[in-house]
Amino acid sequence: MVIFKKVADLQKYISAQIEQKSIIGFVPTMGALHNGHRSLIEKAKAEGKVVVCSIFVNPTQFNDKNDFEKYPITVDADTEILINAGCDILFLPSVDEIYPGGTEKVQTFDFGYLDTILEGEKRPGHFKGVGQVVGRLLDIVEPHYLYMGQKDYQQCMVIKKLLEIKGKQNEIQLIICPIIREADGLAMSSRNRRLTEPQRNIASTIYQCLVSIQSRQNSGDFGIVQKECIELLNKKGFVTDYVAIADARDLKLLDNYDQDSPMIALIAAKVGEIRLIDNILLN
Ligand code: AMP
């Protein structure tokens, strides 16, 4: 695996790969890698791509300064995981390299409705930052394929929209990869390593709620299931941001189960300082 810190060096290397007819698969991350990230690298590799992974903790997408400052940095362990997963190129830029004109004047994109619901509502400015960094990274890497996790489903929808806004939806294929979970169902996340033991023990309640929302989709009344989930989460010690169902195509929120639409259930809840999100496709 080759490692680049400078945009110019990375681009020179990628150009040489493309001249040899390689197809570039790109996996943007914020590091503190786990098997969820690894699955994206392995999928890209298995599909025969030259795999570029970036590790960049993007300051402009953190609405919570404390969350940014405490974000785990584990570059040496990450490098080893990437080598073992078969990653070809690691891009490790500095903030100046990504935002040479500073972080204040970076181009922003309008994601409309997607930026006002769920994560957009609870984390104001978050998707603006995600759009900025992914927009810039795509301009740098110019991949053929972009691999992202269903774990951040709303982010996937935002990036789909970003590709449309940039007119790149035909040039760059977005591949949404399944959620990798711990044995008890907890979705893997870089933030999980900040959970205390008691917090870790209750963390899988979120997944249990998602499974119950899924298994009761023919019961007729999402409102009752939603209320029970919020009560259970709160009883276990979470502060629940939302328990929602939506149309999986456009994330339009649904008041009730609708078997005529592909549905997704989504939960965000905080345990102590740690905010966890997860989702499940229903039908
Ligand atoms: P992050 O480092 O959190 O920005 O995540 C980088 C990429 O890995 C994003 O596309 C995430 O959706 C994806 N990802 C994170 N956790 C998981 C998981 N448990 N399973 C699958 N993909 C994941």
Side-chain angles (χ1 to χ4, degrees):
M1 183 174 74
V2 279
I3 304 180
F4 296 104
K5 296 189 170 178
K6 299 284 178 200
V7 170
D9 296 339
L10 174 76
Q11 287 182 321
K12 202 167 148 208
Y13 190 84
I14 292 178
S15 295
Q17 300 291 314
I18 289 179
E19 265 171 38
Q20 293 170 24
K21 304 268 175 281
S22 295
I23 305 294
I24 307 296
F26 179 40
V27 182
T29 81
M30 298 205 298
L33 302 182
H34 48 68
N35 284 345
H37 300 109
R38 195 186 161 118
S39 73
L40 307 190
I41 308 279
E42 286 174 345
K43 182 165 172 62
K45 197 70 199 165
E47 291 178 357
K49 312 297 184 296
V50 166
V51 184
V52 181
C53 174
S54 63
I55 297 182
F56 179 65
V57 185
N58 172 37
T60 75
Q61 74 185 66
F62 284 83
N63 55 317
D64 177 351
K65 194 164 163 265
N66 186 44
D67 189 28
F68 176 59
E69 281 165 1
K70 297 220 170 125
Y71 204 84
I73 310 276
T74 59
V75 178
D76 290 346
D78 292 350
T79 306
E80 204 171 311
I81 289 172
L82 290 173
I83 291 170
N84 290 333
C87 181
D88 298 290
I89 303 168
L90 168 58
F91 182 42
L92 264 181
S94 64
V95 174
D96 286 346
E97 207 58 21
I98 295 295
Y99 301 121
T103 53
E104 294 304 317
K105 292 188 193 127
V106 192
Q107 183 185 11
T108 58
F109 303 91
D110 182 3
F111 301 119
Y113 168 78
L114 278 176
D115 199 16
T116 66
I117 53 154
L118 306 172
E119 292 302 286
E121 184 190 352
K122 298 294 175 190
R123 301 184 67 189
H126 170 63
F127 288 127
K128 182 171 146 243
V130 169
Q132 288 174 324
V133 73
V134 178
R136 171 83 173 123
L137 286 168
L138 292 178
D139 288 345
I140 294 170
V141 177
E142 295 188 317
H144 303 96
Y145 289 80
L146 174 62
Y147 294 84
M148 304 196 92
Q150 183 198 318
K151 160 83 173 25
D152 300 281
Y153 193 77
Q154 192 170 358
Q155 173 171 277
C156 292
M157 297 288 112
V158 163
I159 298 307
K160 191 166 153 241
K161 176 106 186 177
L162 175 74
L163 292 173
E164 286 164 17
I165 295 171
K166 288 169 78 70
K168 298 270 183 191
Q169 70 273 34
N170 297 324
E171 275 165 57
I172 305 177
Q173 301 302 314
L174 173 63
I175 312 287
I176 303 179
C177 306
I179 303 173
I180 306 299
R181 301 179 177 282
E182 302 287 355
D184 65 353
L186 174 66
M188 289 191 183
S189 163
S190 305
R191 291 184 177 85
N192 292 354
R193 63 185 80 194
R194 289 178 53 207
L195 295 168
T196 63
E197 204 184 318
Q199 288 171 342
R200 174 64 190 86
N201 290 338
I202 60 159
S204 66
T205 313
I206 293 179
Y207 179 64
Q208 288 155 21
C209 287
L210 288 169
V211 170
S212 131
I213 295 169
Q214 184 184 50
S215 66
R216 291 163 71 183
Q217 62 184 293
N218 295 315
S219 70
D221 195 339
F222 173 65
I224 294 174
V225 185
Q226 181 190 43
K227 189 164 166 278
E228 285 175 15
C229 287
I230 294 172
E231 276 169 10
L232 176 65
L233 287 165
N234 294 354
K235 197 176 97 196
K236 294 264 182 172
F238 287 90
V239 175
T240 307
D241 270 355
Y242 56 79
V243 172
I245 53 172
D247 187 315
R249 292 166 296 194
D250 54 12
L251 268 194
K252 286 268 152 45
L253 294 174
L254 296 169
D255 292 331
N256 207 348
Y257 294 120
D258 174 8
Q259 289 299 341
D260 292 335
S261 315
M263 290 182 287
I264 183 162
L266 310 103
I267 294 181
K270 251 180 133 175
V271 49
E273 281 190 339
I274 319 297
R275 190 167 179 283
L276 300 174
I277 60 168
D278 198 355
N279 65 74
I280 197 167
L281 290 162
L282 296 191
N283 48 347

